[in-house]
Amino acid sequence: MASYQKQLLKSVLTFSSVILITAGVKAQQITIPVETETTALVLQATAGKDLNTVYLGQKLNNKADYDKVAAAYEQPNDYSVLFNSAYTPSGSRNLLEPAISVTHADGNNSLELKYVSHNLTKVDDNVSLLTIKLKDPAYNFMVTLFYKSYYKENVIEQWSEISHLEKGNVTLHKFASANINLRAGSYWLRQYHGDWAKEMRPEETQLTHGIKTLDSKLGTRADLFMPSVFMVSLDKPSTEDEGQVLFGGLEWSGNFRTDFEVDPKDHLRIISGINNYASAYQLKPGTVFKTPAFVYTLSGNGKGEASRNLQNWARNYKLLDGKGQRLTLLNNWESTYFDFNEQKLGELLKDTKKLGVDLFLLDDGWFGNQYPRNDDHAGLGDWQENRKKLPNGIAAIAKEASANGVKFGIWVEPEMINPKSELYQKHPDWVVKDPKRDEYYFRNQLVLDLSNPKVQDFVYNIIDSLFIKDPALAYIKWDCNAVIYNAYSAHLKNEQSQFYVDYVKGLYLVLQRLRAKYPEIPMMLCSGGGGRVDYGALQYFTEYWPSDNTDPLERIFIQWEYSYFYPAIASANHVTDWGRQPIKYRVDVAMMGKLGFDIVVDKLSTNDLKFCQDAITTYNSLKSMIWQGDQYRLLNPRENSVASVMYVNADKTSGVMFNYLVNNRYDEGSKAPILLKGLDAEKNYSIREINIYPGSKSPFVSERIFSGDFLMKIGFNPYVNSGRSSVIIKIDAVK
């Protein structure tokens, strides 16, 4: 017997012994609190060993009071005594939506999960890990629940591990990561929808009895129509600074499913995990199925506090190099599209140096020979340099970049394949396609089967070979443009229902290998825009691409909504020729994150070029505060003619305020002072306008001094109007 199976058998015997011992003594309830600085999640094992969630809310002052919560909330007619189960099983007493559903090796579909034991481990001064072991008393079937709490950030991650020692395979039909229970008078769901160039469009509705489901069945590019992140406000829709609200999202880059069920007792049950659509999973004896983490934070002071919780957590614990630096780049895509050669790239490299950014990014179109990548119909899969465009290879471009004093980065789409490619001809069995169906394309391409270890090796070697050709390669843009049609894996043969899960597992294995060898190389997470933005992927990437829609007016709305869940340092914002706004407006919007450029530099006017050069210098002096500071939303673009956002450093000595006109109707603008946030009421601050276009004059002819108290109670008017459509204000403490 394998060592792991021996360990698992020992655990099963221990579980059984605990249950038998418990049966021989007077059973008592066991209360298990999980606390952060302001939040408490309280679990309780009943006398009958059912594990329930009895409380999720603001932390109580006296820990002993958690023992009294269940009795205070007790209501009759919970027929199953499972309405607030911490991980609801199906097929036995449960009457509501389950978190887990299985078919045992003997064909039985019922499941009970009884509390066995729990253990709380202090990972460090800020992080704790609670594990709770559950077992079916009739089967050698176990679930371990994990609750990882981040004290200062007020964030909790939940996931589960499922295992068994039955005589044969167990089929997992549903396998959620988290099962959360909330109590309030009403519940308001803020969800998001979208499509290409229309990411993160919010909708807010009151949840009613029954089940509301957010999900994706796209396989790859899973967030294209609906991302997994959401907000739930309790009792009334929360505002930026008021109301109780929970933010949540699944750390998974494939199909997801989140159920919101208002139960017969008017409580809200949130069950989130991998989408079990077409994904029944065969679990062999002695193996473990680990679900992805579900992350959430609960705020008692509105959406702004919740977002700062998640942003701090992401920078400190989840986003790759979240406390580090980022490169400002110039991309060739909108300058050349597929039409370029060494000479054109050489000129662009000179523009990169002239502009003053750190890196030149070579985008799509550099590869393929038999099927050259001159448009999006051919070449994907054939990752050799195109000899006509780059006769001396990417090493020559990288060398030229170095000679111009800038770094070099490159675009790849390693998960995808065009039917017009040598790879397709050589390895048709590596392609996700149904042998009984006609091929159907998304952007003229198909998806490679990452459930296949050989394909995983191939994708890994695509990236690895780039570093072999150019050891100084400084940046990877990883794209993913297609969804999965006709889901079928030649590799999985008779286990097709595992494909959607195993694909993402295969993707993560590739990324883990790459990060083991290249731990510090910046990588952009791109998926035809924001089709794949989640913390499951972002632990391997330094940044994400919010949208291919780079119209700065549209980007204000897109970036605003993303910022609730992801920090500014992770948002790759490029200045392009999209939109009708002047260059200042475009640059100012892009500065609210990780700045980049995708413009034809030699077509800029003298003043436009001078402004961009100066703006990069200004940005370099501000970026640490934008990336690591606390973000405060001042005026919502969906509710006002002006959008306003500010960032404040940790010690409240400096801030920057971005203001934009978002309504071009007659005489619109900032007609009253805007209330600032996040400052120290006892400090005095100087106010001055920065990032001014050459030849323009600011109405603020000199620095003005105000107290923090004044700025947060009376405010400051940046005088945004049609002639001053974008205004940046710098705020600094003075003695």
Side-chain angles (χ1 to χ4, degrees), residues 257-498:
R257 171 177 170 177
T258 303
D259 297 315
F260 302 85
E261 182 175 23
V262 180
D263 72 14
K265 297 300 165 192
D266 304 325
H267 305 153
L268 177 62
R269 309 170 71 249
I270 303 175
I271 298 174
S272 185
I274 297 171
N275 198 336
N276 55 319
Y277 160 77
S279 293
Y281 208 90
Q282 298 298 310
L283 187 63
K284 298 176 182 178
T287 59
V288 173
F289 185 93
K290 181 178 179 180
T291 69
F294 175 80
V295 61
Y296 60 98
T297 183
L298 181 68
S299 163
N301 297 297
K303 296 182 289 189
E305 180 181 81
S307 74
R308 288 186 289 277
N309 288 346
L310 273 184
Q311 290 172 0
N312 287 334
W313 167 79
R315 287 189 295 254
N316 292 335
Y317 294 102
K318 185 59 62 169
L319 176 68
L320 184 67
D321 198 24
K323 306 290 283 187
Q325 294 297 310
R326 298 292 186 270
L327 297 168
T328 305
L329 60 83
L330 175 66
N331 192 0
N332 74 298
W333 179 246
E334 293 198 15
S335 299
T336 67
Y337 295 100
F338 293 99
D339 183 19
F340 59 82
N341 54 32
E342 279 190 2
Q343 183 179 355
K344 282 187 178 181
L345 295 182
E347 293 302 314
L348 288 173
L349 283 166
K350 294 176 184 176
D351 290 341
T352 308
K353 177 69 172 177
K354 182 195 304 182
L355 190 60
V357 296
D358 306 312
L359 178 138
F360 174 74
L361 172 63
L362 176 59
D363 214 290
D364 195 358
W366 57 269
F367 51 91
N369 287 298
Q370 183 176 341
Y371 299 96
R373 183 70 169 174
N374 295 323
D375 55 37
D376 63 9
H377 289 77
L380 278 178
D382 300 343
W383 296 99
Q384 68 281 139
E385 299 99 323
N386 180 277
R387 288 187 293 270
K388 186 174 181 181
K389 295 179 182 179
L390 304 175
N392 297 300
I394 61 170
I397 305 301
K399 185 178 180 180
E400 184 72 12
S402 180
N404 279 275
V406 297
K407 297 178 184 294
F408 176 70
I410 200 164
W411 176 97
V412 291
E413 193 175 4
E415 300 165 69
M416 304 295 162
I417 186 171
N418 287 124
K420 289 185 178 180
S421 66
E422 294 178 72
L423 182 66
Y424 185 92
Q425 295 174 346
K426 186 177 180 181
H427 292 291
D429 56 315
W430 285 8
V431 181
V432 178
K433 59 174 186 168
D434 192 318
K436 298 184 182 297
R437 310 292 176 190
D438 292 338
E439 291 181 4
Y440 193 75
Y441 308 124
F442 194 107
R443 200 180 181 243
N444 308 304
Q445 62 196 58
L446 295 167
V447 180
L448 290 173
D449 180 9
L450 276 173
S451 72
N452 185 339
K454 291 182 180 178
V455 177
Q456 294 169 24
D457 290 341
F458 173 78
V459 172
Y460 170 83
N461 286 327
I462 291 170
I463 310 300
D464 190 40
S465 66
L466 292 173
F467 287 101
I468 293 170
K469 293 172 182 176
D470 175 22
L473 184 66
Y475 189 89
I476 299 288
K477 178 181 177 182
W478 183 304
D479 214 339
C480 170
N481 280 295
V483 301
I484 292 176
Y485 294 124
N486 296 321
Y488 182 90
S489 165
H491 168 71
L492 290 175
K493 298 178 182 177
N494 296 325
E495 297 178 333
Q496 294 302 315
S497 66
Q498 299 186 180

Side-chain angles (χ1 to χ4, degrees), residues 95-98 174 189 207-214 257-263 268-269 271:
L95 302 173
L96 304 176
E97 182 65 29
K174 191 173 183 183
L189 173 66
L207 291 168
T208 57
H209 289 82
I211 298 178
K212 165 79 174 183
T213 298
L214 307 181
R257 171 177 170 177
T258 303
D259 297 315
F260 302 85
E261 182 175 23
V262 180
D263 72 14
L268 177 62
R269 309 170 71 249
I271 298 174

Side-chain angles (χ1 to χ4, degrees), residues 10-27:
K10 183 178 179 181
S11 297
V12 171
L13 294 173
T14 303
F15 289 4
S16 303
S17 299
V18 171
I19 291 173
L20 289 171
I21 291 169
T22 302
V25 299
K26 185 178 180 181

Side-chain angles (χ1 to χ4, degrees), residues 512-523:
Q512 288 161 14
R513 288 176 65 188
L514 287 170
R515 282 309 176 193
K517 188 170 183 179
Y518 307 105
E520 298 179 353
I521 297 299
M523 290 207 306

Side-chain angles (χ1 to χ4, degrees), residues 584-648:
K584 172 174 165 52
Y585 195 106
R586 287 181 271 153
V587 173
D588 288 356
V589 171
M591 285 172 67
M592 294 191 301
K594 205 225 75 169
L595 176 65
F597 290 82
D598 200 338
I599 56 177
V600 184
V601 176
D602 64 6
K603 291 185 179 180
L604 293 175
S605 69
T606 300
N607 277 344
D608 281 0
L609 177 59
K610 179 68 165 60
F611 171 77
C612 289
Q613 292 168 332
D614 291 345
I616 291 169
T617 301
T618 299
Y619 175 74
N620 287 337
S621 71
L622 298 172
K623 62 187 181 183
S624 62
M625 179 166 51
I626 296 169
W627 296 347
Q628 305 298 336
D630 290 328
Q631 182 188 41
Y632 295 90
R633 299 168 197 83
L634 309 181
L635 290 181
N636 190 324
R638 287 186 166 81
E639 300 168 358
N640 302 276
S641 294
V642 172
S644 185
V645 179
M646 68 182 294
Y647 301 85
V648 181

